[in-house]
Amino acid sequence: MKILFTRFPLESADGGAENQTQWLMEGLKAKGHELSFLGSCPVILARAKESGIRNQELSIGDPPVTKWGAISFLWRKKKMKEQLTNAMHKLLIEGSKPEAVFMLSLSEKLLMSKWVAAQGIKVFWIEHDRIGPWLRWNPWLRSLRSAARHATIICVSEVSRKLYLEMGFDPAKVVAIPNGVPPPSSSNPNPFPRPSGIHVGTVARLDPEKGVDVLIHSIAELPEVTLSILGKGREETYIRTLIDQDTQRIGQQRIHLLSHVDDLSSFYRSLDVFVLPSSDHDPFGLVAAEAMACGIATIVTDACGISGSLEASREALVVPAGRASELSVALRSLFDPERRMELGEAGRAGVLSRLNVETMTNAYERVLQQ
């Protein structure tokens, strides 16, 4: 089957959405499908080229996901649709008409779903992004619900699917396919240094909804813990302030903020416990799956989509979002090395058997064939 992926994001990073898109495209290509990508996402464009996937760069302007973007979309959308339609016509003329289109961004979902469906092409929306005010209070939400009549909406977790149903989308048109991760890389000959004590870590953007501040507060009364935070974001100054306050109170620095590591698998393997402390809707949480695949005992909150794909207490600990006290209790329960090993081994087996790229790709193939 000829399949086109599209993505026109407000901004692009080397993050979960980009990783999942790459793994899905490569998985479908390995199964014999003919893949192509159209969009402005530099990360996916670069990875498509590396993977030998046909790609075309196209910039159409910002999606309507900010206040000004939503207002200006009113007069920008005509030109944006012309650009998208011209690009699609080019594919039709060249004999590369896709049989299915996976749309990842709001712009093309609003502007092209009806037109693409009218060409006899199956339309799928992949919903990676966190559902926040940008969507709940978006003036184009009614138009989006109308456009959804022409598409199948694929959410990356049951948590996300439930939220789409609460916003009024047709239950018959919304499905959930959990993300999958590849097997972890082999151990790096130069492993990440392992601090003394119980080494806890997280990988997260430094944004309010990621709950990194909650994680810091949760270890206030746990002097045995050292914490490594890997991430960047708009709350960096605030997080550094919390780190300084902890250092002054403890008398030594035990929380370290990292902006980059050379080998993520080695970072995971340096940990005793991995925590994904998201305090608001986190569509899936690929980093938790990656840590679990490395055999690391993991704690996630119930705001993380992955929580619905795990056997709580056996494969991972699931705690209420935004509750530092309950996260602290969960961390303390994992001071026992036997409990950590038990949880890590069960989590690893669960991820490798159910939350892998092949399982995810097979699920997308079944949806394509419907």
Side-chain angles (χ1 to χ4, degrees):
M1 180 179 287
K2 293 181 179 179
I3 304 172
L4 173 68
F5 281 73
T6 64
R7 181 165 166 81
F8 301 89
L10 179 65
E11 54 188 18
S12 180
D14 188 355
E18 290 78 10
N19 288 337
Q20 192 268 352
T21 302
Q22 175 192 356
W23 298 333
L24 177 58
M25 288 197 301
E26 290 175 347
L28 290 170
K29 181 184 177 186
K31 289 180 173 291
H33 299 281
E34 185 178 325
L35 274 291
S36 58
F37 175 75
L38 172 69
S40 59
C41 178
V43 175
I44 298 180
L45 282 165
R47 294 183 184 182
K49 292 175 184 176
E50 293 171 1
S51 302
I53 294 172
R54 175 179 175 174
N55 59 91
Q56 179 184 343
E57 183 174 0
L58 176 66
S59 296
I60 61 173
D62 292 344
V65 296
T66 63
K67 183 177 180 179
W68 175 246
I71 294 171
S72 62
F73 189 69
L74 183 63
W75 59 84
R76 293 188 294 117
K77 62 187 179 73
K78 180 178 179 181
K79 182 178 179 181
M80 294 170 74
K81 185 171 183 178
E82 287 177 355
Q83 290 176 287
L84 288 166
T85 305
N86 289 339
M88 289 295 297
H89 275 306
K90 183 179 179 182
L91 291 176
L92 303 184
I93 293 172
E94 292 176 350
S96 300
K97 177 182 176 180
E99 297 165 77
V101 177
F102 285 109
M103 300 180 177
L104 281 74
S105 304
L106 187 58
S107 296
E108 68 268 33
K109 292 170 185 174
L110 282 167
L111 298 175
M112 294 296 291
S113 294
K114 182 178 180 179
W115 186 91
V116 171
Q119 312 308 309
I121 301 170
K122 295 181 178 180
V123 179
F124 300 92
W125 297 355
I126 301 181
E127 301 300 341
H128 287 290
D129 295 328
R130 182 180 75 90
I131 298 172
W134 71 270
L135 183 58
R136 292 184 187 278
W137 304 107
N138 198 304
W140 297 98
L141 180 57
R142 176 181 287 186
S143 297
L144 188 67
R145 281 194 290 258
S146 177
R149 296 199 301 266
H150 308 283
T152 297
I153 302 174
I154 302 175
C155 297
V156 297
S157 67
E158 287 290 349
V159 170
S160 291
R161 181 178 185 271
K162 180 180 178 182
L163 293 175
Y164 271 88
L165 298 187
E166 290 175 354
M167 289 190 295
F169 289 86
D170 182 358
K173 303 284 284 183
V174 186
V175 300
I177 299 178
N179 284 339
V181 296
S185 61
S186 58
S187 297
N188 192 310
N190 297 306
F192 190 87
R194 188 182 187 93
S196 60
I198 304 296
H199 188 201
V200 176
T202 190
V203 180
R205 290 192 320 275
L206 305 182
D207 289 342
E209 66 273 8
K210 287 298 185 179
V212 176
D213 57 336
V214 178
L215 175 56
I216 292 174
H217 291 311
S218 76
I219 68 167
E221 304 302 323
L222 302 178
E224 306 91 336
V225 168
T226 59
L227 174 61
S228 295
I229 302 165
L230 176 58
K232 303 176 183 177
R234 52 194 167 125
E235 284 212 318
E236 181 172 339
T237 299
Y238 171 54
I239 296 301
R240 289 192 181 279
T241 299
L242 293 180
I243 293 173
D244 290 342
Q245 291 173 352
D246 184 83
T247 300
Q248 292 173 11
R249 188 172 55 83
I250 296 293
Q252 61 180 355
Q253 184 171 356
R254 59 167 181 154
I255 305 177
H256 302 277
L257 180 59
L258 313 169
S259 61
H260 173 77
V261 296
D262 291 329
D263 183 74
L264 197 52
S265 292
S266 291
F267 173 74
Y268 291 138
R269 291 188 175 103
S270 77
L271 305 175
D272 294 299
V273 182
F274 179 86
V275 180
L276 187 58
S278 305
S279 57
D280 198 356
H281 175 231
D282 191 338
F284 187 75
L286 278 176
V287 291
E290 291 173 343
M292 292 173 68
C294 290
I296 306 305
T298 295
I299 303 173
V300 301
T301 72
D302 55 9
C304 302
I306 192 175
S307 66
S309 297
L310 301 174
E311 189 175 334
S313 298
R314 195 182 78 84
E315 296 176 334
L317 300 186
V318 180
V319 300
R323 302 281 288 276
S325 60
E326 298 202 33
L327 178 53
S328 181
V329 171
L331 282 168
R332 191 182 293 277
S333 74
L334 295 181
F335 286 2
D336 178 0
E338 291 187 5
R339 177 61 173 133
R340 291 200 303 271
M341 181 177 295
E342 177 187 66
L343 194 69
E345 289 179 351
R348 181 177 184 274
V351 166
L352 295 182
S353 64
R354 301 193 311 276
L355 301 179
N356 57 72
V357 173
E358 183 177 6
T359 299
M360 173 184 69
T361 304
N362 289 341
Y364 274 83
E365 276 201 310
R366 287 193 293 272
V367 172
L368 280 167
Q369 293 163 4
Q370 292 177 0

